[in-house]
Structures are given as structure tokens and as C-alpha cells.
């Protein structure tokens, strides 16, 4: 007997720890699924009730009580609809990453995640016990098998659902973004379809959570390995799928999302990560120290796109080393974006520092100490403005600089969030050019001029660093691919440059440990994704690695 089913994949943005707020959002969307879409089933994402990742919040004494109370509220609105929600669940004193199936005000089935990821940004074995049982639930004679996120990247959980009699698979996820991740997801799910001859409904959450951004992109692959529906990236969406079981036929309210190129995806992810960090943490807006260079230009543009021009303040703090070009370009950029723009001369403040330190520094030569004082003055002023007006300081450093320590601790590294922290310098240029294809806001001269910190006379970055097109390739091999010095030099890079870059990466771990969080876009970002000791003897083995 054939059944025609309407299933909604609820791709929503949650706030970690806000169990009551998240449950309210879940209830509102259940009511919408019933009244507007007449859905048979609505599926929410992994740990939707508490948000992902909850980290050590999950150990708080009252958490379980709050979860159970909110689940009961959700149960109350499940008459005439099936609801699948992700939540932590305690069973016989063990905590599980669970999916609950609710119907007619009852919990009718539970599934506990079997494969717990414990790599990269994931450390679920710290929090959860692994499930062992397969879970199926039925709608009008159609059997749905449940999996949670990492389960679908393993061969066994889906196979076990198939063996238990599943007709379709629902996979609930909290899968964070990195470049090309959506293609990886679709390939993995398609392989499951090939192996098990079962369609897969894949629902992913959306939203920024500290370093991570969940980009959505929920989708369905049918039993012919065809991608038949895909939600938008970086947007909340209810993706409605209609399935006729006898014909194994699918239709959807959004058959395929608009095709985005990778720069578009990265830009949207950075924008969403910044927006959610500022708004979810209760700041009034963003504050940026503008330099006239490309990093601060891209950061300011991102901030305006994320928060709106009325909620962004740019501050230029020139010294004798700031070129007229930088002043002109910063002013033009601020005008193009329509933000509040202020100029604070800091030459007199620098002179005060010079006078205060004159006796102690007597007989020494000017070096990076004086350069760093300029950066720290700027950081102090920005933090003062932030304190006074409630705007978060947005740090503008990129991944290349963070990797080799080409940044001033308590200076340009000051801030609450660093959206470009995982963006290599060459990618900064790419994204700036891409953004100008949407509307021409970043002056071309900013994109074309040689990068400079302008902390000393006629300074350019390549006085201190290898050219960025070389540096970024070495850093990608060393940081993201874990290549050794010999493996990198075997690719044709100069041995002395490679050794110097690796040494800078290790020596500056202490700086990165004190840097603000930033959006992860690469396969291996600094922060939770890459955890190295600050104090180690690794440099003594550099030539042996």
C-alpha cells in the first residue's frame, strides 16, 4: 500500500545553553509545520534542544532537569504529528547524544548516537556514552531509520538500519563548515545510498557558535543517488519533502539551492559567524581599527554585511608612519560602507610613552619595541571605546599572521572576535575581490598595494616575511596537512625558508593562545582544532622532523 508523506527538515539557528529559548523555537516550528504545511513529520537537528556543542555545560547540575521539563512542553504539541529532536539524554546515569521520537504527546522511540567523534574540534567521548541499539519508527507503513551525524560517516549504523527493516534514513546533524565540506557530506551520503539502497534525509543546523559555523545545506539523496532537494547555506529554512512510498517518488519546496562558489560560501560563513558572535553575546555592534590595509578593509566590510552600517564604528589612528594613501583609502572605504568613522591622532600619546621610557631605554636602538607600542596604544584606545559604548572590538588579523606571530600581543590582537583568524592572506585578497563583485566598496588601491603594518618608515610585510604566496603554501602543508620540513622542501620550497617558517609557528604558540576566537573555515584552524603545548622542546628537533 502506497503512502504519501510530508516531511520537514528544520534547519534552524540555536543558542547553546538556552534550552528554554531553543524549545520555544522548536514548538513554534512544530505548530507551523502542522498549520501551514500539514506535515506528517518534522525533524530537528543534533542536540537542538541545548545547542551544539554544549561542552561542559552538559555537566551542570540543573541541565537534565531543564531538558526534561522542555521535552514535556514539546510533547504537548505533538498531537497528529511526529517530531524528531536531538537532545542530551540521561539513561541509567549515562549521558547520551540522543534523538527522541515524539508522537501524540508521548516519547515513542529513542536513539543514542553510536559513533562519537573525538578528533579535530570534536571531543564527544568526554561527554557521551555510545549507543548500541538501532532505532526505527513508522509512519503509515514506512519505516524510518535514525542516525546522528558521525553515524552516517561510518558504514555500520546505516547498514544496521537496513538490516532492521528501514525504508529510509533520517540523519540529524550538527556539522560545522570548512571549505568544500558540503561536497564531502553529499559524497558520503551518496555512498551510503549506493551501499544500502536507501534514500537519506540529511538535516543540518545553521548558525555561529564561537569558532564554529554550521552552514546548513540540508539535503535529500534518493535511492537512485540523485540529489533531489537542498536547503540554502547560512540561512534558516524549513525544507519540505513529499514522499510517495509506493512509487519511491520525491518532491520538495526547494528542489536545489542556488549554486554558490566557494568564495561565496566562505564569505557567508564568516559573515554569519561574526553576526552570531556579536548578537548572541549581547554587544551593540562592532568596532574596528581601520588601517587603510586589506585585512581591516575586509573585516570592516564583513562587519557591515553582518551587523548593518548603523551598528559598526571604524576608527583610524594615524602616526607619522601612516601614509597619505592609507588615510585616503580608509576614508573612502568608510564612506562607501556608510559607517561612523573617527580619526584619533596618537603621535602625542606615543611621545608620552617615549618620554616615560627614555631613561630606561637610554643607550638602546629603536626596534620592534617601539613599533609594538604603537599597536598597543591603538588596542588600548579601541578597548576603551568598546567599554564606553558596548561595541565589540573586531580584531583584523589573518591566519598567515597568526601562524608566524606577525601581530602584536595586546595591540592589533586585542579584541573580542577575529573573523579572519583562519583566513590565509591570499584568501583575504580573493574574498576582497569577490566581495567587490557584489558591490564595489573596497578601493582597488587597497587590494593592489603591497601589505604593510606601517609601524616604521617605508615598511612592508615582506621585509619580515616570505612572500605571502609562498608563505601560505608552506603553512597549509605544515599546519593543515601535518607535513614535515623534509616533505615540504621536497616539493621545491627553499629549505631555509621552510625551517624559518616552522620555527616561527612553534615560537608563537603563546601569542595564539591569547588571541580572540575566530571562524573556522579551513580543515585545521588554530584553537580547538589544533592544540599544541606552549612550552616544549620541539624546536631542538626541528632539523630531524
Amino acid at each position: 500500500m502506497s503512502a504519501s508523506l510530508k516531511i520537514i527538515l528544520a534547519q534552524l539557528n540555536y543558542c547553546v545553553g538556552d534550552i528554554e529559548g531553543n524549545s520555544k523555537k522548536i514548538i513554534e516550528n512544530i505548530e507551523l509545520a502542522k498549520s501551514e504545511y500539514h506535515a506528517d513529520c518534522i525533524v530537528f537537528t543534533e542536540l537542538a534542544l541545548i545547542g551544539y556543542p554544549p561542552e561542559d555545560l552538559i555537566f551542570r547540575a540543573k541541565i537534565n532537569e531543564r531538558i526534561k521539563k522542555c521535552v514535556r512542553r514539546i510533547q504537548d504539541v505533538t498531537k497528529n504529528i511526529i517530531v524528531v529532536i536531538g537532545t542530551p539524554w540521561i539513561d541509567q546515569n549515562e549521558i547520551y547524544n540522543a534523538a527522541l521520537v515524539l508522537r501524540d504527546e508521548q516519547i515513542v522511540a529513542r536513539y543514542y548516537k553510536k559513533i562519537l567523534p573525538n578528533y579535530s574540534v570534536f571531543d564527544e567521548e568526554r561527554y557521551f556514552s555510545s549507543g548500541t541499539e538501532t532505532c526505527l519508527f513508522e509512519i503509515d507503513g514506512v519505516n524510518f531509520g535514525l542516525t546522528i551525524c558521525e553515524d552516517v560517516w561510518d558504514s555500520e549504523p546505516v547498514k544496521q538500519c537496513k538490516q532492521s527493516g528501514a525504508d529510509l534514513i533520517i540523519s540529524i546533524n550538527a556539522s560545522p563548515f570548512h571549505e568544500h565540506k558540503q561536497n564531502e557530506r553529499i559524497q558520503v551520503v551518496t555512498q551510503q545510498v549506493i551501499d544500502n539502497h536507501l534514500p537519506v534525509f540529511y538535516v543540518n543546523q545553521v548558525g555561529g557558535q564561537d569558532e564554529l559555523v554550521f552552514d546548513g545545506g540540508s539535503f535529500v539523496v534518493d535511492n537512485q543517488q540523485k540529489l533531489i532537494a537542498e536547503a540554502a547555506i547560512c540561512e534558516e529554512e524549513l525544507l519540505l519533502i513529499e514522499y510517495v512510498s509506493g512509487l519511491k517518488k520525491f518532491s520538495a519546496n526547494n528542489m536545489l539551492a542556488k549554486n554558490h562558489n566557494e568564495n561565496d560560501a566562505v564569505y557567508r560563513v564568516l559573515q554569519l559567524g561574526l553576526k552570531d558572535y556579536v548578537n548572541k553575546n549581547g554587544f551593540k555592534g562592532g568596532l574596528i581599527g581601520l588601517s587603510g590595509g586589506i585585512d581591516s578593509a575586509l573585516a570592516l566590510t564583513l562587519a557591515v554585511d553582518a551587523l548593518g552600517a548603523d551598528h559598526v564604528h571604524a576608527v583610524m589612528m594615524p602616526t607619522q608612519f601612516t601614509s597619505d594613501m592609507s588615510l585616503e583609502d580608509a576614508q573612502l572605504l568608510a564612506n562607501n560602507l556608510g559607517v561612523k568613522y573617527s580619526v584619533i591622532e596618537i603621535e602625542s600619546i606615543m611621545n608620552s610613552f617615549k618620554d616615560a621610557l627614555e631613561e630606561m631605554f637610554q643607550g638602546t636602538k629603536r626596534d620592534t619595541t617601539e613599533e609594538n607600542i604603537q599597536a598597543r596604544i591603538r588596542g588600548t584606545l579601541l578597548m576603551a571605546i568598546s567599554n564606553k559604548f558596548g561595541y565589540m572590538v573586531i580584531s583584523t588579523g589573518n591566519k598567515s599572521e597568526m601562524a608566524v606571530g606577525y601581530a602584536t600581543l595586546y595591540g592589533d590582537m586585542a579584541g573580542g572576535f577575529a573573523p579572519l583568524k583562519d583566513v590565509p592572506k591570499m584568501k583575504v585578497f580573493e574574498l576582497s575581490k569577490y566581495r567587490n563583485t557584489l558591490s564595489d566598496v573596497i578601493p582597488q588601491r587597497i587590494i593592489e598595494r603591497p601589505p604593510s603594518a606601517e609601524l616604521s618608515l617605508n615598511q612592508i610585510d615582506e621585509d619580515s616575511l616570505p612572500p605571502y604566496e609562498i608563505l601560505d603554501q608552506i603553512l597549509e602543508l605544515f599546519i593543515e596537512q601535518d607535513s614535515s620540513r623534509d616533505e615540504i622542501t621536497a616539493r621545491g620550497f627553499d629549505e631555509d625558508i621552510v625551517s624559518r617558517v616552522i620555527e616561527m609557528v612553534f615560537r608563537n604558540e603563546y601569542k595564539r593562545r591569547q588571541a580572540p576566537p575566530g571562524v573556522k573555515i579551513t580543515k585545521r584552524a588554530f584553537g580547538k582544532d589544533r592544540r599544541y603545548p606552549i612550552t616544549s622542546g620541539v624546536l631542538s628537533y626541528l632539523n630531524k622532523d
Side-chain angles (χ1 to χ4, degrees):
M1 183 177 176
S2 182
S4 180
L5 305 177
K6 290 184 177 181
I7 301 159
I8 288 178
L9 304 184
Q11 177 175 294
L12 302 176
N13 190 337
Y14 303 102
C15 182
V16 166
D18 185 9
I19 298 168
E20 291 73 19
N22 294 337
S23 66
K24 181 180 178 184
K25 175 174 279 196
I26 288 167
I27 289 168
E28 288 171 350
N29 280 277
I30 292 170
E31 297 287 15
L32 186 64
K34 291 196 291 185
S35 63
E36 185 168 327
Y37 295 96
H38 308 291
D40 299 287
C41 177
I42 182 168
V43 183
F44 298 93
T45 49
E46 179 181 16
L47 296 182
L49 195 56
I50 194 171
Y52 193 97
E55 299 184 301
D56 284 8
L57 283 177
I58 210 163
F59 297 139
R60 300 293 298 177
K62 297 287 187 181
I63 285 288
N64 187 52
E65 181 182 318
R66 291 169 59 201
I67 288 170
K68 293 288 180 70
K69 186 176 181 180
C70 287
V71 167
R72 286 192 292 271
R73 288 177 185 164
I74 296 169
Q75 286 176 230
D76 289 343
V77 297
T78 59
K79 191 171 179 60
N80 300 322
I81 192 170
I82 291 176
V83 175
V84 180
I85 57 168
T87 180
W89 199 254
I90 295 179
D91 189 344
Q92 296 183 347
N93 296 319
E94 298 286 339
I95 306 175
Y96 294 96
N97 183 337
L100 304 182
V101 182
L102 313 178
R103 178 185 349 208
D104 292 331
E105 304 178 6
Q106 300 294 320
I107 299 174
V108 297
R110 289 196 299 265
Y111 174 72
Y112 300 149
K113 187 175 183 178
K114 294 179 178 179
I115 311 298
L116 302 178
N118 222 57
Y119 58 88
S120 183
V121 299
F122 307 106
D123 47 9
E124 289 194 21
E125 289 181 9
R126 174 179 173 87
Y127 305 105
F128 302 112
S129 297
S130 293
T132 57
E133 300 297 322
T134 297
C135 177
L136 269 61
F137 67 95
E138 177 265 335
I139 311 177
D140 289 348
V142 179
N143 291 321
F144 290 79
L146 269 177
T147 65
I148 300 177
C149 207
E150 192 75 11
D151 290 338
V152 85
W153 294 73
D154 188 275
S155 61
E156 286 304 308
V158 176
K159 183 191 296 183
Q160 290 161 2
C161 286
K162 170 78 171 180
Q163 292 168 346
S164 297
D167 299 307
L168 300 96
I169 300 295
I170 286 179
S171 174
I172 67 171
N173 299 268
S175 177
F177 175 87
H178 64 65
E179 287 184 284
H180 311 295
K181 184 67 172 287
Q182 182 71 346
N183 289 337
E184 291 177 29
R185 296 180 190 123
I186 293 172
Q187 288 171 10
V188 165
V189 167
T190 300
Q191 188 60 52
Q192 291 283 12
V193 173
I194 292 169
D195 293 343
N196 297 286
H197 308 289
L198 295 179
V200 177
F201 291 67
Y202 183 104
V203 58
N204 191 27
Q205 78 172 46
V206 68
Q209 175 58 34
D210 298 343
E211 298 173 352
L212 304 180
V213 172
F214 301 91
D215 52 316
S218 304
F219 61 91
V220 177
V221 178
D222 72 9
N223 54 328
Q224 301 299 314
Q225 303 110 54
K226 182 182 177 183
L227 181 67
I228 58 101
E230 185 180 11
I233 63 168
C234 296
E235 296 176 18
E236 290 191 309
E237 183 174 333
L238 296 183
L239 182 60
L240 175 65
I241 313 297
E242 294 192 50
Y243 173 66
V244 180
S245 62
L247 302 175
K248 294 185 178 179
K249 181 179 178 182
F250 296 84
S251 60
N253 62 340
N254 183 359
M255 293 301 289
L256 288 176
K258 178 184 175 183
N259 240 344
H260 301 292
N261 65 42
E262 201 57 32
N263 281 332
D264 177 83
V266 170
Y267 193 88
R268 285 168 175 260
V269 163
L270 294 172
Q271 183 179 328
L272 178 58
L274 177 58
K275 177 181 179 179
D276 276 1
Y277 194 87
V278 171
N279 291 338
K280 288 180 180 180
N281 284 293
F283 287 90
K284 295 178 181 178
L287 174 67
I288 289 182
L290 209 53
S291 69
I294 194 164
D295 295 320
S296 65
L298 180 59
L300 182 64
T301 307
L302 270 168
V304 170
D305 289 342
L307 307 172
D310 291 344
H311 298 282
V312 179
H313 184 183
V315 181
M316 183 70 169
M317 292 166 281
T319 71
Q320 61 176 309
F321 305 116
T322 304
S323 67
D324 290 342
M325 184 191 305
S326 294
L327 289 166
E328 292 165 4
D329 289 346
Q331 177 77 68
L332 179 57
L333 174 67
N335 290 346
N336 288 347
L337 292 169
V339 299
K340 181 180 180 181
Y341 177 67
S342 305
V343 177
I344 303 174
E345 300 280 352
I346 66 168
E347 193 71 34
S348 61
I349 304 175
M350 286 173 55
N351 289 334
S352 296
F353 272 77
K354 180 181 176 183
D355 292 343
L357 294 166
E358 185 173 16
E359 182 177 346
M360 186 171 288
F361 284 5
Q362 191 171 8
T364 65
K365 293 182 179 179
R366 176 186 170 86
D367 57 18
T368 54
T369 304
E370 285 76 14
E371 294 181 13
N372 289 340
I373 286 172
Q374 296 172 63
R376 289 180 177 127
I377 289 169
R378 289 171 172 142
T380 299
L381 292 175
L382 287 173
M383 291 307 300
I385 298 168
S386 172
N387 289 163
K388 184 64 70 175
F389 298 108
Y391 276 39
M392 187 190 73
V393 177
I394 298 169
S395 181
T396 62
N398 61 66
K399 186 173 189 176
S400 308
E401 295 171 348
M402 290 298 103
V404 298
Y406 193 65
T408 303
L409 199 56
Y410 321 123
D412 55 307
M413 287 177 64
F417 197 69
L420 305 181
K421 183 180 178 180
D422 195 38
V423 183
K425 185 73 170 191
M426 297 307 294
K427 192 71 173 178
V428 172
F429 284 104
E430 276 187 45
L431 292 173
S432 299
K433 292 172 184 175
Y434 164 74
R435 178 57 182 82
N436 272 2
T437 66
L438 305 180
S439 59
D440 196 5
V441 292
I442 300 176
Q444 191 62 27
R445 191 163 62 174
I446 290 179
I447 296 173
E448 293 175 351
R449 64 184 292 197
S452 170
E454 292 195 327
L455 296 175
S456 61
L457 189 63
N458 299 321
Q459 181 186 47
I460 60 172
D461 290 2
E462 288 185 16
D463 294 337
S464 304
L465 300 174
Y468 282 113
E469 57 266 27
I470 294 173
L471 176 63
D472 281 357
Q473 292 181 70
I474 295 172
L475 291 173
E476 180 180 357
L477 289 167
F478 182 64
I479 295 166
E480 294 175 38
Q481 300 182 31
D482 274 329
S483 299
S484 68
R485 181 184 67 96
D486 290 343
E487 289 170 334
I488 298 171
T489 55
R491 291 174 174 254
F493 294 97
D494 181 88
E495 183 175 338
D496 290 339
I497 292 177
V498 172
S499 294
R500 179 175 161 232
V501 169
I502 291 174
E503 181 177 351
M504 286 191 288
V505 172
F506 279 122
R507 288 198 183 281
N508 287 284
E509 190 63 44
Y510 78 101
K511 281 189 180 181
R512 291 190 293 273
R513 194 69 67 89
Q514 299 177 73
V519 176
K520 170 182 164 66
I521 67 158
T522 68
K523 286 193 173 182
R524 200 170 194 194
F526 294 124
K528 287 178 65 176
D529 207 6
R530 183 182 183 275
R531 309 177 202 185
Y532 272 69
I534 296 173
T535 306
S536 76
V538 70
L539 287 177
S540 63
Y541 294 93
L542 177 61
N543 293 326
K544 300 176 184 177
D545 185 13

